[in-house]
Amino acid sequence: MAIAMFENANCQAASFALNTVGWILSMICMGLAEWRVWYMESSSAPSRGLACIGMWKVCTYQPNSLHSRNIECHRYTYSDTYLPLDIRIAQNLLLAASLLGVLGKVLMVTGLRRVYAGQLQKDTACNLFFASGVLSIIAGAFILIAVMWNHQSVMNEEGIHFPPSFHIPFRPDRQETGSTVLLAVLAAFLMMLSGLLTISFQLPSDSQVYPEVLQV
């Protein structure tokens, strides 16, 4: 009974590791700019080069010479009215995913501490793991929604009214999804996989603790 319990708990510890890696990747994705890549090649563009558009900043890369580029980044704030609806929603989804991920890890750590400490209240431990797993799955789903919305905006070739000081046109000559999307998909996959593993946790059916009977 004890061996089965700890093997199951060790599986949850591995799930916690997957969840942590996924959460870290999701936080990294929030800070990267390569969600969309805009190519500004025509002579009518304010400046030629490319722009990487992220959820919280945009970076422009303008060639200075054959082997060097001038990089300039601008960060967004919630008060920026030029941001389109899809980026605003994706910002909120990623923030919600990070908060849910933290809450899920807190619940999972609490459940693991109870199991390893030998506190075998089945309903309490299983409820903690179940809630943690659900939160992880929801967090992963939020990240996937942000990824799909970003992809849809690229496919529709939607433009953004950046301020003139950014020297970025409303719509580029061509655009594509950036490398950050792959990282975000991996983060969502790890968090959802962690959630499924966590939900599968079950204490052994014979884990009831009976009081000892002293024989005189």
Side-chain angles (χ1 to χ4, degrees):
M1 180 267 294
I3 295 177
M5 179 193 71
F6 283 108
E7 285 180 350
N8 211 334
N10 289 335
C11 180
Q12 297 309 308
S15 175
F16 176 80
L18 290 176
N19 184 281
T20 301
V21 173
W23 181 80
I24 292 174
L25 291 179
S26 69
M27 296 297 293
I28 293 175
C29 291
M30 291 175 60
L32 296 178
E34 290 79 10
W35 283 79
R36 310 181 197 178
V37 179
W38 283 15
Y39 295 93
M40 303 171 291
E41 301 167 338
S42 64
S43 57
S44 60
S47 60
R48 308 183 75 174
L50 62 87
C52 294
I53 301 172
M55 297 303 169
W56 296 98
K57 68 179 179 180
V58 56
C59 294
T60 57
Y61 300 82
Q62 301 172 4
N64 280 340
S65 62
L66 186 62
H67 300 290
S68 65
R69 287 182 176 181
N70 182 31
I71 303 175
E72 185 176 1
C73 294
H74 305 273
R75 294 191 176 276
Y76 314 143
T77 64
Y78 275 113
S79 60
D80 292 333
T81 58
Y82 59 83
L83 292 177
L85 180 62
D86 61 319
I87 289 184
R88 291 185 180 276
I89 293 177
Q91 286 177 339
N92 293 324
L93 287 172
L94 293 174
L95 283 175
S98 65
L99 293 177
L100 291 177
V102 170
L103 182 57
K105 284 197 288 294
V106 171
L107 294 176
M108 190 183 299
V109 168
T110 304
L112 287 172
R113 288 183 62 183
R114 288 179 178 271
V115 171
Y116 282 114
Q119 301 173 354
L120 302 182
Q121 294 88 349
K122 184 173 182 180
D123 291 340
T124 302
C126 289
N127 288 340
L128 286 172
F129 286 126
F130 182 82
S132 174
V134 170
L135 291 177
S136 296
I137 292 175
I138 294 175
F142 281 177
I143 298 174
L144 280 182
I145 293 174
V147 168
M148 290 187 292
W149 210 315
N150 177 79
H151 179 74
Q152 185 67 22
S153 299
V154 172
M155 292 297 99
N156 294 336
E157 298 184 351
E158 297 181 3
I160 302 175
H161 286 286
F162 287 111
S165 59
F166 287 14
H167 304 292
I168 302 176
F170 169 68
R171 186 178 286 110
D173 298 291
R174 59 188 179 93
Q175 58 180 296
E176 62 185 26
T177 55
S179 58
T180 303
V181 170
L182 298 177
L183 199 63
V185 170
L186 178 59
F189 171 76
L190 291 177
M191 296 191 74
M192 297 180 77
L193 176 61
S194 170
L196 292 175
L197 291 175
T198 305
I199 288 176
S200 68
F201 175 83
Q202 290 183 349
L203 286 174
S205 57
D206 57 344
S207 61
Q208 181 81 26
V209 178
Y210 297 96
E212 293 183 359
V213 179
L214 297 177
Q215 296 181 354
V216 180

